[in-house]
């Protein structure tokens, strides 16, 4: 349930039918009318019953998945029919009628609805809110007619044939014909600009079949003049991988494709997508963040210039999103490439699911319906009986455990197709003097690269100039007034900023506690490293890459071009730079500040560090220019670094999983986290103690931990706390949550439930 939802029984007359209530419905005389059970975008965990305008018959089934307009309270709302039943637990005189059924548009596909129903149960989120999460904004609103309006037209063969018959006097018609093309869609907007009656003429032509509506903004490269880029011959491990997935045919078969960056995973995806397209199927390719994977996109475009590529991500306009969604829903062969929300795209001809960088935590939605797109992608493949391929250099330990348990088949690409593995080593900084966090061996290595005209990357996992502004006399560190967090120094902007609530203020000149004017930045953010590098290597062109310098749509690709054009010697960046980019002249990677993750309280910190170090190491080196990675650390003997240096993922994963097993952590246990916040600390703590006690009384085999504050206990003036529930068996946890969640609502706090949480 979304934060703070207060079920208001009786607020709506057409209230509710839950399964148990429906069983009790024998009390009411069975009705002959069909009843639609409708999902509405309200924070109540139920469907709502409405009478359909037509009597019950088998022909009603196609109504499932259709949008409707229904009366609700005093107004009316858009909903989606999830089920059709023949009775209701509500008395007849309280059932209201569906006002409108949107029959002109296709219904939501059964498997998307099924997926949403599963997500609703599994994540304990209201069904209506879940269904509406998946719908494009335009469909959540009433704009049915507008959304059904085509965005573009193209000429049909009939249209081409009749064009010659047009009288010369029909000027507007001739103009329209000149604009229209047989294969390329032309935007409706452009056509309408030709004249006032253009709309009418188009409608007439559409009725006659001279033109057909099509989605213009589907992200399709216009059908190709270009020839497809030839596919390289696969290496033996690649063709084994492709073969394994292809021969799974049309049944559910999960695969884990492990291979370091550059080992040729994308090439495997491309081959599988080609096979899927040639069987007239639809392929769903999930990626963590579109902006960070432009190369993947370009390669799909180059390989399939004539195919329908549908790109879905968060920066689309609502019109674009709807148009692309509709194109996918139409069922033609296509490749959908999208971020986590794309897992809900209707794909009637789904033939393949790929999840690239499956370990990436951005697959987990952190608000509302807190789903894991990776986990739902697996379910989706299962529902449609198609193969699913998870790809990663460093698979999540959850997925690796599934391989160990024989549930997933492991496919491996052991080598980089075009380069030798980099040489990875630690720089022991225990007895070194660092210059602003940089060691002499690292600086020497950087200088050598600059002199050779090669590029380097210094990886700092932190934004801002430095984490905090600290008083050298009394130790005071500038806090955010609204959060239990320190402000971060942003030197270029001359500001202190809160990374939690966004508060910004000018840098202070003196300590407010003791008056000391010597305030020093503590720690090493990207800005500070950038400055230090510039001082140490005056001849080098140093460029910083983090969220502050890459805001805006095209900033990243512009930067990318500068790197490729060799306008940059040293990059300083956060994990943004670690992802799938390919810079051929980059031969050195320096890692700073990694140690803090070794002894973190988060049991997943080591897994993430391993993944980050592996990924960032993958940036270094190509065939002709071997790469080197230097990790600055005070713990050079830590086993995690040993595995990183030997590039032995299996050893790392086996050891880490054994540790998880010994400690009873996921994936050998299953968790749910209840988060709560309120203006007052007593409210939050009191609430969690109450619900914890209630949970304990339910008597399920689950462990309910004591409520604790999260790492940042106050954000934007609101106090936070959380409660962890853990069970050995997933089913026990689910049964507990079924019994417990109906008792979680409360007037004093905002709360949310996170099943399989990744952040604590
Ligand atoms: P990954 O997705 O694992 O990072 P890619 O598929 O991007 O790996 O491959 C890395 C590089 O190697 C790319 O430039 C790609 O074009 C090239 N490559 C991949 N497979 C082959 C192959 N079989 N033959 C030649 N080049 C290949
Ligand atoms: Zn002070
Ligand atoms: Zn703040």
């Amino acid at each position: 349930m979304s934060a703070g939802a207060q079920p208001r029984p009786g607020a709506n007359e057409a209230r509710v039918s839950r399964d148990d209530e429906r069983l009790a419905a024998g009390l009411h005389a069975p009705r002959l009318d069909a009843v639609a059970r409708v999902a509405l975008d309200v924070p109540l965990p139920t469907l709502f019953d409405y009478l359909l305008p037509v009597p019950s018959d088998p022909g009603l089934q196609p109504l499932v998945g259709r949008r409707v307009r229904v009366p609700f309270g005093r107004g009316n709302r858009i909903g989606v029919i999830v089920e059709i039943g023949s009775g209701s637990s509500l008395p007849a005189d309280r059932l209201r009628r569906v006002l409108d059924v949107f029959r002109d548009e296709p219904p939501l596909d059964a498997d998307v609805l099924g997926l949403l129903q599963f997500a609703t149960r599994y994540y304990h989120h209201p069904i209506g809110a879940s269904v509406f999460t998946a719908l494009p904004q335009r469909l959540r609103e009433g704009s049915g007619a507008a959304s059904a309006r085509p965005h573009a037209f193209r000429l049909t063969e009939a249209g081409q044939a009749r064009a010659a018959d047009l009288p010369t006097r029909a000027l507007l018609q001739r103009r329209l014909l000149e604009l229209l093309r047989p294969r390329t869609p032309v935007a409706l907007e452009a056509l309408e600009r030709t004249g006032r009656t253009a709309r009418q003429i188009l409608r007439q032509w559409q009725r006659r079949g001279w033109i057909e509506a099509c989605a213009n903004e589907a992200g399709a490269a216009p059908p190709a003049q270009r020839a497809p880029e030839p596919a390289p011959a696969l290496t033996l491990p690649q063709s084994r991988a492709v073969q394994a997935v292809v021969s799974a045919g049309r049944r559910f078969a999960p695969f884990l494709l492990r291979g370091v960056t550059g080992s040729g995973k994308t090439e495997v995806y491309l081959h599988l997508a080609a096979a899927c397209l040639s069987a007239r199927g639809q392929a769903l390719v999930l990626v963590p963040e579109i902006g960070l994977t432009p190369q993947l996109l370009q390669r799909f475009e180059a390989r399939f210039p004539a195919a329908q590529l549908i790109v879905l991500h968060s920066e689309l306009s609502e019109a674009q999103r709807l148009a692309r969604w509709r194109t996918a829903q139409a069922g033609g062969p296509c490749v959908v490439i999208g971020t986590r929300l794309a897992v809900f795209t209707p794909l009637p001809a789904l033939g393949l699911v790929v999840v690239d960088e499956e370990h990436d935590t951005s697959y987990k939605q952190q608000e509302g319906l807190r789903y894991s797109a990776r986990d739902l992608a697996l379910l989706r493949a299962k529902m449609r009986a198609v193969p699913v391929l998870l790809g990663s250099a460093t698979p999540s330990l959850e997925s690796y455990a599934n391989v160990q348990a024989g549930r997933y088949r492991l496919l491996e690409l052991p080598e980089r197709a075009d380069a030798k593995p980099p040489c990875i080593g630690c720089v022991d900084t225990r007895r070194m003097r660092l210059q602003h966090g940089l060691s002499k061996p690292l600086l020497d290595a950087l200088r050598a690269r600059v002199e050779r005209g090669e590029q380097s990357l210094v990886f700092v996992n932190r934004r801002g100039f430095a984490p905090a502004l600290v008083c050298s006399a009394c130790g005071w560190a500038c806090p955010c007034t609204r959060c239990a967090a320190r402000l971060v120094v942003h030197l270029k902007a001359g500001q202190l900023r809160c990374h939690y609530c966004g508060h910004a203020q000018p840098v202070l000149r003196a300590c407010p506690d003791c008056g000391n004017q010597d305030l020093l930045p503590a720690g090493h953010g990207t800005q500070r490293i950038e400055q230090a590098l510039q001082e140490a290597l005056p001849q080098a062109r140093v460029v910083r890459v983090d969220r502050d310098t890459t805001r805006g749509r095209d900033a990243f690709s512009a930067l990318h071009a500068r790197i490729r054009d060799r306008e940059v010697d040293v990059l300083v960046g956060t994990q943004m730079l670690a992802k799938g980019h390919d810079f051929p002249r980059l031969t050195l990677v320096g890692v700073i500040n990694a140690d803090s993750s070794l002894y973190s309280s988060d049991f997943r910190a080591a897994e993430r560090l391993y993944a980050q170090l592996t990924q960032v190491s993958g940036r270094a080196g190509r065939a002709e220019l071997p790469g080197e990675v230097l990790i600055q650390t005070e713990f050079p003997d830590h086993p995690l670094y040993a595995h990183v240096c030997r590039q032995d993922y299996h050893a790392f994963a086996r050891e880490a999983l054994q540790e998880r097993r010994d400690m009873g952590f996921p994936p050998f246990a299953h968790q749910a986290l209840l988060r709560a916040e309120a203006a007052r600390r007593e409210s939050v703590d009191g609430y969690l103690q109450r619900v914890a006690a209630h949970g304990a009384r339910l008597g399920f085999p689950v462990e309910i931990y004591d409520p604790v504050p999260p790492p940042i206990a106050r954000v934007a003036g609101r106090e936070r706390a959380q409660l962890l529930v853990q069970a050995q068996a997933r089913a026990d946890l689910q049964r507990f949550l079924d019994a417990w969640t109906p008792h979680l609502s409360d007037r004093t706090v905002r709360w949310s439930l996170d099943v399989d949480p990744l952040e604590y």
Side-chain angles (χ1 to χ4, degrees), residues 232-235 238 259-267 299 417-418 582:
L234 294 180
T235 62
Q238 280 174 326
V260 295
T261 311
S263 62
K265 296 186 295 298
T266 309
E267 200 52 55
R299 282 172 63 191
D418 61 345
D582 184 10

Side-chain angles (χ1 to χ4, degrees), residues 560-578:
H560 202 262
R562 281 177 66 199
I563 299 170
R564 300 220 134 221
D565 295 344
R566 300 171 66 174
E567 291 171 18
V568 177
D569 296 309
V570 183
L571 287 158
V572 183
T574 56
Q575 80 270 20
M576 286 185 81
L577 266 184

